Amino acid sequence: MSLIVGSARIDENGNLKNGKAGDQTSGEVSTQAYYMHKKGWYVMRAKSVAHANALATAMKQACDNNKIGYDQNERNGVITQLNKYGSLSKIVTNTECDCSSLVRACIIQATMVDVGNITTASLATTLEKSGLFYPKENVTGEIMLYNGDILVTKTKGHTVIVVSGRARNRATTSNTSKPKSYLSKGDKGNDVKTMQTMLIAVGYSCGSYGADGDFGSDSDKALRKFQGDYGLTVDGKYGPKSKAKLESVYNQKKSSKSLGTYEVTAKSGLYVREGAGTNYNIVPKSKLTKNAQEHAKANGALKYGTHVTVKEWKNGFARIPSGWVCGDYLRKI
């Protein structure tokens, strides 16, 4: 199967600005066969296979939704609507984007992390700094591309996401490199953040920065302490055995969580949803309780350190007065 990429391309008049909201031609935001851009491509590859697959899905949803059109003047409309509806497939209001703001929206949907306002000139640097992606690689005949790979031109120009053609089944950085089978000091990204979240939840501090996705000295000490306490090899390597044991201990503790006051530990903010799961819509800021609004960002996400009252637990989500939040990013106080 040939590679297919998706992107925001051009408005209905063949222009970059001042078009009508929404996709008027079914081609403003659409898929096409992979091609080598005249400016050349860099590839930004998600470290998490789950994130890569979710990126491909998000872009495909955007390309299939004719409510999303192209206009650089209104490029952040898609971010506003995504925050409102919770999924690119669920947007029902005509809105606009450009190529980089659509990639940003796909990242938000796939990872629950907003990397901020990006352009094709800043995209590669910003994504690498986020810790969610491997360093950029030059796309040549030696590089094999996979679903979810983000391609951006080497100079200001265009960006696309590979949506189909070659599935990601493991954490691959290129077709010639073999990734580690474990995490260790110096690694960064969402997988590190997940490990840190579980360590903290079961009583092992990862330092003052908490679950920040950066495997530093404090996280190394926490992991080694955990390994020693549970009879594992104390090597600071978060491999299959350490992962299985930590998940087991974490899930056991998670199933018996108590009610009461908790603190938000998500550095980038924690979205409130209408139900207990990521498939439910995000609650907009205007519909949060008055107290929650005072501690929420413009997109409705509760700020780091916000105190919330948990009234019920369900499927790993906690019910608070404004809705449901993911329990992975709460710490009992």
Side-chain angles (χ1 to χ4, degrees):
M1 181 185 293
S2 60
L3 290 179
I4 302 296
V5 297
S7 67
R9 302 169 66 183
I10 202 76
D11 78 5
E12 69 274 17
N13 300 311
N15 299 322
L16 300 178
K17 303 175 182 179
N18 302 320
K20 188 176 180 180
D23 193 337
Q24 306 302 311
T25 64
S26 296
E28 295 182 46
V29 177
S30 59
T31 59
Q32 63 186 130
Y34 168 76
Y35 63 98
M36 176 57 77
H37 198 282
K38 63 183 180 181
K39 293 184 176 182
W41 294 118
Y42 286 128
V43 58
M44 302 302 300
R45 179 161 295 154
K47 294 180 179 179
S48 163
V49 175
H51 285 170
N53 292 331
L55 281 166
T57 297
M59 178 57 80
K60 187 65 167 59
Q61 289 177 353
C63 292
D64 290 341
N65 188 347
N66 283 338
K67 295 296 182 180
I68 305 173
Y70 187 101
D71 189 331
Q72 287 188 352
N73 281 343
E74 305 295 334
R75 63 192 299 270
N76 287 322
V78 69
I79 305 298
T80 300
Q81 296 305 317
L82 174 60
N83 287 333
K84 178 179 179 180
Y85 292 104
S87 170
L88 291 165
S89 65
K90 295 180 179 179
I91 292 175
V92 295
T93 302
N94 284 333
T95 191
E96 303 282 56
C97 66
D98 67 4
C99 62
S100 51
S101 69
L102 182 57
V103 166
R104 174 189 173 190
C106 290
I107 293 171
I108 292 173
Q109 179 169 316
T111 71
M112 298 295 288
V113 173
D114 187 353
V115 297
N117 188 35
I118 52 175
T119 66
T120 52
S122 64
L123 187 147
T125 300
T126 301
L127 297 196
E128 184 174 342
K129 287 182 178 179
S130 74
L132 298 172
F133 295 83
Y134 292 111
K136 67 184 180 185
E137 286 192 70
N138 182 29
V139 175
T140 67
E142 300 297 319
I143 297 294
M144 187 173 289
L145 299 177
Y146 294 88
N147 296 354
D149 281 351
I150 298 175
L151 308 180
V152 60
T153 48
K154 294 180 180 180
T155 57
K156 184 178 179 180
H158 195 48
T159 181
V160 304
I161 295 179
V162 179
V163 297
S164 66
R166 186 176 293 118
R168 274 279 301 275
N169 295 316
R170 61 191 182 93
T172 308
T173 57
S174 77
N175 64 319
T176 58
S177 61
K178 294 183 178 180
K180 297 187 302 181
S181 60
Y182 59 87
L183 298 173
S184 59
K185 186 176 178 180
D187 286 331
K188 297 181 180 181
N190 197 63
D191 291 339
V192 173
K193 187 174 183 179
T194 298
M195 177 198 73
Q196 292 170 323
T197 298
M198 291 192 289
L199 282 170
I200 293 169
V202 299
Y204 296 84
S205 173
C206 290
S208 59
Y209 289 101
D212 62 354
D214 188 345
F215 200 137
S217 297
D218 290 326
S219 295
D220 180 67
K221 291 177 183 177
L223 177 60
R224 289 174 184 272
K225 181 67 166 60
F226 174 83
Q227 290 173 327
D229 289 347
Y230 285 91
L232 300 166
T233 300
V234 182
D235 56 6
K237 295 179 179 179
Y238 185 62
K241 290 184 179 180
S242 292
K243 183 174 184 289
K245 175 56 71 173
L246 179 56
E247 287 178 343
S248 175
V249 174
Y250 172 74
N251 288 331
Q252 184 176 4
K253 182 178 178 64
K254 187 176 179 180
S255 64
S256 59
K257 277 190 172 181
S258 61
L259 306 182
T261 304
Y262 285 74
E263 181 180 53
V264 173
T265 61
K267 291 287 187 179
S268 58
L270 183 61
Y271 285 113
V272 181
R273 293 186 176 272
E274 294 177 352
T278 56
N279 56 314
Y280 288 91
N281 290 339
I282 294 171
V283 178
K285 184 174 182 179
S286 61
K287 292 187 178 181
L288 298 176
T289 64
K290 183 177 180 181
N291 182 58
Q293 289 182 30
E294 294 175 353
H295 295 85
K297 297 183 176 183
N299 62 7
L302 299 178
K303 297 176 182 177
Y304 173 79
T306 298
H307 289 186
V308 296
T309 301
V310 174
K311 298 179 176 293
E312 177 186 355
W313 287 96
K314 182 179 180 181
N315 300 327
F317 275 71
R319 181 171 64 85
I320 63 174
S322 291
W324 294 82
V325 294
C326 180
D328 291 343
Y329 302 102
L330 296 178
R331 180 178 66 84
K332 190 76 167 66
I333 58 175

